[in-house]
Amino acid sequence: MSNSSLELKNVTRKFKDMVALDALNLEVGAGELVALLGPSGCGKTTALRIVAGLDRADEGQVILKGKDINALPAHKRNMGMVFQAYSLFPNMTAAENVAFGLQMRRVSKNKRRDKANELLELVGLPTHAHRFTHQLSGGQQQRVALARALAIQPEVLLLDEPLSALDAKVRTNLREEIRRLQLSLGTTTIFVTHDQEEAMAVSDRVAVMNKGHIEQIDSPDVLYNSPATDFVAGFVGSMNRLRATKTGSSLFVIGRTVGASKGGPNVEGEVVALVRHESVRVKPDATSDILIVTRSFLGPVSRITCKLPDGDLVHSMMSSAESSSLRPGDPVKIELLDKELLFQRAE
Ligand code: ADP
Ligand code: MG
């Protein structure tokens, strides 16, 4: 990528025997927001700390706009960071927190005040300049932390699970605001999260991390529709794993034959079909021996769990309106909406 702003090349970090980062490669384009998505302990925070200069790689390079910055100390990297929570200075007001980085850079008092007000306005807190941390809600504190990170006009913005301590509603509102701000400022950003929905909602591309390396980096749509590895398929979205039989380009699954996605492993016979919950539709059928186990109402959609005659469970995500008459114990037939299914070797 010629306009890549930030690049990690073969970055390895070990803590004694523990390999936290295993020759990690990542390129983030100028103005791009990349989400770093992965389970707890896969190395996300370690990667961010190395980018910020708070930790050093044992091997590999961090490159910013074409320059190797491995040896550059954190305070010279001009990177804005927002952590999970509780990172504001408690003895300072919101405005003082936002202005902190500018004070370090010897910006005059008047300019600091103007800049702090401007940024508090930008994050939706124009009237909170004089509040102390304990007078702000969790969401407001994270807005101030964001304003503080942006005040220095960072080269790169690094967000480490900035929303994970917040309530669901505040979380979704704030993530959309972060994205809107990031787009309008054009700041190159890495957004770390373990929440796949959050990652896909805010980013240009999602990098799925597993055990210290990146399994796949793609746009949310490509990642969702064409997971490159078993790990990505299992981690992104909600998949059924159903016993199936493959013959040529056909899969036999839940009593019917469908297409097998091209690009799967070259195998015949017993395989596992990967079917997203929303690709399964359930309809009443008095003659069927498939039974509904539960229906969980989730608002616009409901999750319906069915039991096949062999005891295997199949999950369906359907509109609540369409599934409102379904009850536990009802016999149903199952339709698979995908014409071509992903599949794996049977274990
Ligand atoms: P994540 O942010 O994805 O949850 P981390 O980057 O925090 O993961 O950690 C990756 C792995 O490295 C974990 O197994 C963690 O225990 C280990 N680790 C991280 N920091 C240290 C440290 N300072 N000392 C020892 N082990 C560490
Ligand atoms: Mg972490």
Side-chain angles (χ1 to χ4, degrees), residues 44-45 160-161:
K44 304 181 296 295
T45 294
D160 193 356
E161 313 226 14

Side-chain angles (χ1 to χ4, degrees), residues 10-16 18-23 46 50 55-59:
N10 289 315
V11 169
T12 294
R13 179 70 169 104
K14 296 185 183 124
F15 298 103
K16 298 202 175 112
M18 166 76 215
V19 183
L21 296 179
D22 188 7
T46 304
I50 286 172
D55 191 13
R56 290 292 165 86
D58 297 315
E59 285 165 50

Side-chain angles (χ1 to χ4, degrees), residues 232-246:
V232 176
F235 199 75
V236 174
S238 310
M239 286 281 195
N240 287 291
R241 308 172 79 85
L242 305 173
R243 282 187 249 192
T245 309
K246 183 166 172 290

Side-chain angles (χ1 to χ4, degrees), residues 124-141:
L125 296 174
T127 62
H128 292 62
H130 303 297
R131 294 221 191 158
F132 286 93
T133 307
H134 70 271
Q135 297 167 316
L136 298 167
S137 70
Q140 290 169 339
Q141 288 183 37

Side-chain angles (χ1 to χ4, degrees), residues 6-309:
L6 178 73
E7 219 179 313
L8 279 76
K9 271 192 178 166
N10 289 315
V11 169
T12 294
R13 179 70 169 104
K14 296 185 183 124
F15 298 103
K16 298 202 175 112
D17 295 340
M18 166 76 215
V19 183
L21 296 179
D22 188 7
L24 179 85
N25 286 294
L26 177 65
E27 287 185 30
V28 184
E32 191 182 25
L33 191 159
V34 168
L36 206 50
L37 169 69
S40 176
C42 73
K44 304 181 296 295
T45 294
T46 304
L48 270 204
R49 286 175 53 82
I50 286 172
V51 171
L54 302 172
D55 191 13
R56 290 292 165 86
D58 297 315
E59 285 165 50
Q61 290 173 290
V62 180
I63 295 163
L64 184 64
K65 290 187 168 166
K67 277 195 197 132
D68 186 326
I69 57 165
N70 264 356
L72 207 61
H75 67 276
K76 292 198 171 151
R77 292 193 183 193
N78 204 34
M79 296 200 181
M81 267 196 101
V82 177
F83 302 94
Q84 190 166 335
Y86 318 117
S87 62
L88 294 183
F89 306 116
N91 54 340
M92 292 184 192
T93 63
E96 287 165 351
N97 264 284
V98 175
F100 180 77
L102 301 173
Q103 193 171 359
M104 295 283 99
R105 285 165 174 77
R106 303 187 185 283
V107 174
S108 76
K109 199 171 176 184
N110 283 346
K111 276 196 183 147
R112 288 202 312 261
R113 194 195 50 220
D114 290 350
K115 190 79 190 168
N117 285 334
E118 177 194 326
L119 276 146
L120 285 170
E121 174 107 42
L122 203 62
V123 298
L125 296 174
T127 62
H128 292 62
H130 303 297
R131 294 221 191 158
F132 286 93
T133 307
H134 70 271
Q135 297 167 316
L136 298 167
S137 70
Q140 290 169 339
Q141 288 183 37
Q142 288 307 74
R143 284 170 196 267
V144 174
L146 185 65
R148 183 176 64 183
L150 291 171
I152 58 164
Q153 291 176 285
E155 206 74 70
V156 181
L157 179 63
L158 304 170
L159 309 172
D160 193 356
E161 313 226 14
L163 308 176
S164 58
L166 307 176
D167 301 344
K169 202 153 203 168
V170 179
R171 211 160 64 207
T172 32
N173 285 341
L174 196 46
R175 86 181 179 209
E176 274 159 34
E177 245 171 278
I178 288 176
R179 175 56 161 166
R180 208 176 56 216
L181 266 177
Q182 184 271 336
L183 282 172
S184 74
L185 298 171
T187 312
T188 305
T189 302
I190 303 182
F191 188 123
V192 162
T193 177
H194 63 269
D195 179 335
Q196 47 129 347
E197 184 194 305
E198 188 168 286
M200 302 220 261
V202 298
S203 61
D204 294 299
R205 290 188 300 157
V206 179
V208 180
M209 237 180 126
N210 180 25
K211 294 181 184 157
H213 72 277
I214 286 167
E215 295 251 334
Q216 182 174 7
I217 176 164
D218 265 312
S219 69
D221 300 77
V222 172
L223 199 75
Y224 196 82
N225 294 313
S226 314
T229 66
D230 292 0
F231 179 82
V232 176
F235 199 75
V236 174
S238 310
M239 286 281 195
N240 287 291
R241 308 172 79 85
L242 305 173
R243 282 187 249 192
T245 309
K246 183 166 172 290
T247 314
S249 59
S250 302
L251 278 181
F252 184 74
V253 56
I254 322 182
R256 67 187 59 227
T257 301
V258 294
S261 163
K262 296 164 191 79
N266 184 18
V267 286
E268 294 282 309
E270 299 292 297
V271 295
V272 176
L274 304 173
V275 191
R276 293 204 183 276
H277 293 187
E278 69 269 24
S279 300
V280 177
R281 176 156 297 165
V282 171
K283 286 188 179 156
D285 179 356
T287 66
S288 176
D289 48 8
I290 299 171
L291 302 178
I292 292 185
V293 182
T294 55
R295 172 174 178 261
S296 312
F297 180 81
L298 305 171
V301 292
S302 293
R303 176 176 288 115
I304 296 129
T305 300
C306 308
K307 195 176 211 166
L308 302 178

